[in-house]
Amino acid sequence: MTSPPPPTGGTVGAAEHDPQALPPRTGVRGLRAERLELATRLAREPVPGPDRRAALAELVTSRLAELWADATERGPHLEGIALGAVGSLGRGDAGPCSDLDLLLVHDGRGHTADDVAALAQRLWYPIWDAGLDLDHSVRSLAQCRQVASKDLPAAVGLLDVRPVAGDAIVVHRAGSAMLTDWRAAARRRLPELLTSTRQRAERHGELAYLLEPDLKEARGGIRDAVVLSALAATWLTDRPHGSVDQALDHLLDVRDALQVVTRRHTTRLLLADQDEVAELLGTGDADDLLASVAEAGRVISYALDTTVRNARQALQRPLTTRRPVLVRGRRGARACGRSGRGWSSTTVSCCSRWTPTRRRTRWCPCGQRRRPHAPASRCHPSRSRA
């Protein structure tokens, strides 16, 4: 008696439940070509730029997670150590050929230096063998704070650290510590940040006035947009949005198209590549492309000047406490000797002097209304003489 035929789709179901039927892990092998292929396909489709970059970041993150699983021999979850991404990969706006800025961070407990070094070698060497550009570091939480206090580019990059694989709590602790130190040292780090920004502008020029601009390093480029976020992280000022976000997205789209055309890690928009980049973006010819890039550079440059001015004004304010404001309360009459029921919880003081800048009507705890600039004797002579 013959057995009945297998149901339709039985092979797929077996592949879902049989681990050996699943495709093997590939790690980062072939990731360079796969990123370019995905970016080229998405660039020719009506897919918004943020969605394209999110897809690229998801691809890289998933492949790095596979590499982590292979490096840790697919064993149990390691506590106190993790792989994090900083820079463009941490912000989620990495290009098709951008380098990988990775950080192996640990809490400094439970792992020897030899074990951490061996794990780092199992992570870094496959990435180099795959032909990917890698900027790597291995640090404990204390070393992250120490390096960030001395190295400005490292501090700015660590502001956007995000977990990739391993113990995500360690990465979140590192990011929280970086933000806390950055805000606490804002008065000291702001001049250093502005000096580096000015020096970079002197080296690479203004993005809006260059025929072959550097989309990242020129004044008004992608790097200045990162500086805007770093200034906002100090809590001294806000980051402009709206037109600034649109300008940044356009520069990132041009950079992605440039890397797809040249198939290499570059941010310099040369004359020889402008026609192909403009055709891929659908922005007309090279002149239209340069005009749109110049307009985006002017928007970011103006936003940076405004944000820097606001941050400097915030630092110049005196660090004094706010003057107490009198609030009328039910039991505040004791301040004037008319009741013995005690002070109100909202009453701060009685009959304080007026300053020329305060023109609001103020109420005394006794219920009497005082005019602006009125001396204390007009309200309560006995209180004034005392």
Side-chain angles (χ1 to χ4, degrees), residues 50-190:
D51 294 340
R52 293 198 305 266
R53 286 182 285 276
L56 288 174
E58 179 64 25
L59 172 64
V60 175
T61 302
S62 61
R63 301 296 287 274
L64 289 175
E66 294 177 1
L67 175 63
W68 175 269
D70 294 335
T72 56
E73 299 178 356
R74 303 185 186 181
H77 178 67
L78 297 178
E79 295 183 357
I81 187 169
L83 180 65
V86 297
S88 60
L89 184 59
R91 294 188 301 270
D93 58 6
C97 298
S98 298
D99 55 350
L100 303 181
D101 295 333
L102 300 179
L103 170 66
L104 183 61
V105 58
H106 57 94
D107 57 4
R109 302 188 302 269
H111 303 282
T112 63
D114 295 337
D115 294 339
V116 175
L119 177 59
Q121 291 181 0
R122 293 194 297 269
L123 291 173
W124 308 149
Y125 278 100
I127 297 177
W128 286 324
D129 295 339
L132 298 169
D133 297 329
L134 175 64
D135 186 3
H136 62 90
S137 57
V138 181
R139 299 189 183 108
S140 64
L141 292 175
Q143 290 173 345
C144 288
R145 303 182 70 172
Q146 183 180 5
V147 171
S149 64
K150 300 178 181 179
D151 190 354
L152 181 63
V156 174
L158 286 172
L159 293 176
D160 300 309
V161 63
R162 72 167 182 170
V164 174
D167 192 355
I169 297 179
V170 180
V171 180
H172 291 310
R173 288 176 58 188
S176 178
M178 293 302 103
L179 287 173
T180 301
D181 295 344
W182 181 256
R183 291 160 185 162
R187 188 175 294 272
R188 176 177 60 88
R189 304 306 294 267
L190 181 60

Side-chain angles (χ1 to χ4, degrees), residues 238-303:
D238 295 330
R239 181 191 181 279
H241 294 279
S243 60
V244 177
D245 293 336
Q246 296 176 2
L248 176 60
D249 288 339
H250 181 66
L251 292 182
L252 292 175
D253 291 342
V254 175
R255 181 210 59 186
D256 295 346
L258 175 63
Q259 293 184 1
V260 168
V261 169
T262 59
R263 305 186 70 82
R264 59 189 178 89
H265 181 206
T266 180
T267 57
R268 185 75 179 273
L269 185 59
L270 300 178
L271 291 174
D273 303 323
Q274 291 177 7
D275 289 327
E276 295 184 55
V277 172
E279 182 182 358
L280 184 60
L281 291 175
T283 57
D285 55 4
D287 294 336
D288 297 332
L289 176 64
L290 282 181
S292 63
V293 169
E295 178 62 24
R298 280 190 288 267
V299 170
I300 295 179
S301 180
Y302 177 77

Side-chain angles (χ1 to χ4, degrees), residues 12 40 103 109 157 187 210 311 313 318 353:
V12 177
T40 304
L103 170 66
R109 302 188 302 269
R187 188 175 294 272
L210 297 175
Q313 291 176 356
R353 294 185 178 179

Side-chain angles (χ1 to χ4, degrees), residues 16-32:
E16 291 178 353
H17 297 285
D18 187 6
Q20 296 181 355
L22 295 174
R25 297 177 184 267
T26 59
V28 294
R29 192 170 46 202
L31 180 58
R32 179 184 177 89

